[in-house]
Amino acid sequence: MGVNSCGTTLIDGGTFKNIGAVSWDTTAKTVGFTAVAGTGYFVNTTSGAITVTLPSSPTAGDTVGIADYANTADTNNITIGRNGSNIQGEAKNFIINTEGGTIILTYVDATKGWLSIDAAQASDIVPPAAFITATGGTITTSGNYKIHTFTGPGNFTVTQLGNSPVNPLGGPSNVDYLVVAGGGGGGGGYGCCSFSGGGAGAGGFRTTFPSPGCNAGDFPITVTTYPITVGAGGAGFCGVPPPGCAQGATGSNSVFSSITSAGGGGGSIRYAGGNGGSGGGANNFPGSGTGGSGNTPPVSPPQGNPGAAGPPGGRCSGGGGGASVAGNSNKNGGNGTANSITGSSVTRAGGGSAGGWNYAAAGTAGTGGGGTGGSGGAAGGNGTVNTGGGGGGSGPINVAGQPLRSGGTGGSGIVIIRYKFQ
């Protein structure tokens, strides 16, 4: 008893016959023809349907292969003419009508005739696992994930997508992102022992991480180049009395694809705080100042929180809003949000605190890079670079004739992109 080189045998009357072995004719057939036993054929139906006639008077073990050459059999069928013999036990012709369809037929006996010993279509062949391939920014890894960090402008260039819907072992065609805008500039103190400057709002904070489920990415991408914008922090109050620059500057936007995070609103003195990703704080003397609005323009989920005004009739200002908490009227900046998209938890987008009035201590800056307000006559502290923290407001001058103190500059933003790469 033996097995042929193809590993397939057939018992016929006590003897073994080789089956399943065919030599493939690599010249594609474009018109109808009669097959020869032991041969496989590539059939090109691009121009129209084709009939392949099986051999007449076959003997047990005769084998014929037929394959859709151009993946067009779903449009122009391949008919398998039985030529007097049964196919699969039926006196009927067979048709290949699936894209990329392939069949190998072996003649067994007069009852069953030609039997399929192998059949497939192009979609049955699983391609090798593929993962996203991309360049740009500073690239690090965390487990099975690759992280691209942009601390300044650049390009995220995608050259290959994952193919997990086709091969379960592959990767997704989605990414996660964290996009933080530049924080606003802090407000400045005004007058001798008078009004303190409001803390600035943090830059807008937008992220998809962590994604629902297995954290494999939630934002679809394509093979293309995505320009990355990382927003600069807004300049603080410039030291010119109102209305010269009554408010710190708004931070600049950060952008990835269709995602834009808005710059933080500037802190103010005796005027409304600036609107932005998070709003800037303001003074509320004599009772008309208001904190800036956060989540401006509005997105869902919100990208930030409002700033606050100081107590009505008082000379203290409110803190700037942060990504997770609004600024408060007791000079404190709102806290930012912790995120572990890089593999370790980092808090970003904290609001700046207001300066201290009349030698008083400044407020507490929001966690996540918010600048600390200036105590007494000190200038406001800057927001931390690449956190989107709002700048701190300054205190008023201590002695008449001293130059006005500047508010702190907002912290620049950051863009981080994460995806599965193995």
Side-chain angles (χ1 to χ4, degrees):
M1 177 175 178
V3 179
N4 74 344
S5 60
C6 294
T8 309
T9 61
L10 173 70
I11 300 176
D12 181 13
T15 63
F16 294 91
K17 293 186 180 287
N18 292 336
I19 65 170
V22 295
S23 296
W24 287 89
D25 181 350
T26 57
T27 301
K29 302 296 184 181
T30 57
V31 295
F33 63 95
T34 298
V36 175
T39 305
Y41 301 92
F42 295 97
V43 182
N44 185 353
T45 64
T46 300
S47 300
I50 293 176
T51 296
V52 179
T53 303
L54 293 173
S56 62
S57 304
T59 59
D62 285 353
T63 301
V64 171
I66 302 168
D68 177 17
Y69 171 81
N71 290 334
T72 53
D74 54 333
T75 302
N76 297 319
N77 301 161
I78 301 172
T79 298
I80 302 174
R82 65 190 189 89
N83 204 7
S85 300
N86 289 340
I87 303 177
Q88 296 287 122
E90 296 188 42
K92 297 179 180 178
N93 294 337
F94 263 38
I95 294 175
I96 297 176
N97 60 2
T98 58
E99 182 179 310
T102 299
I103 190 168
I104 296 178
L105 294 166
T106 294
Y107 186 81
V108 179
D109 55 34
T111 301
K112 290 293 185 180
W114 297 89
L115 292 178
S116 170
I117 62 169
D118 195 11
Q121 60 190 65
S123 60
D124 294 331
I125 301 171
V126 178
F131 296 85
I132 293 172
T133 301
T135 59
T138 299
I139 301 174
T140 57
T141 59
S142 176
N144 293 327
Y145 295 89
K146 190 167 286 186
I147 299 103
H148 294 244
T149 300
F150 294 85
T151 56
N155 291 308
F156 179 64
T157 301
V158 181
T159 56
Q160 176 179 285
L161 297 178
N163 67 343
S164 56
V166 177
N167 186 337
L169 300 179
S173 293
N174 295 345
V175 301
D176 279 311
Y177 62 78
L178 172 65
V179 181
V180 181
Y190 176 56
C192 176
C193 310
S194 189
F195 305 103
S196 66
F205 184 102
R206 301 185 66 185
T207 188
T208 57
F209 186 84
S211 299
C214 63
N215 295 344
D218 198 45
F219 185 78
I221 57 171
T222 61
V223 174
T224 190
T225 295
Y226 295 91
I228 301 296
T229 301
V230 174
F237 168 79
C238 65
V240 176
C245 62
Q247 183 183 95
T250 301
S252 296
N253 297 346
S254 289
V255 181
F256 161 56
S257 186
S258 60
I259 304 303
T260 297
S261 290
S268 181
I269 50 170
R270 300 185 68 181
Y271 293 87
N275 302 329
S278 282
N283 196 278
N284 197 15
F285 183 86
S288 58
T290 58
S293 298
N295 194 33
T296 303
V299 294
S300 181
Q303 59 182 311
N305 290 280
R315 296 190 175 188
C316 290
S317 294
S324 63
V325 177
N328 75 19
S329 60
N330 193 30
K331 302 176 287 188
N332 298 332
N335 289 335
T337 297
N339 189 277
S340 58
I341 191 170
T342 61
S344 59
S345 182
V346 178
T347 302
R348 300 179 176 88
S353 65
W357 167 74
N358 198 19
Y359 302 98
T364 301
T367 57
T372 300
S375 298
N382 298 332
T384 303
V385 173
N386 296 130
T387 67
S394 76
I397 61 175
N398 294 332
V399 178
Q402 285 184 335
L404 296 176
R405 306 298 192 238
S406 297
T409 300
S412 55
I414 195 167
V415 172
I416 301 174
I417 301 167
R418 176 186 188 271
Y419 56 86
K420 190 173 182 182
F421 80 104
Q422 66 178 16

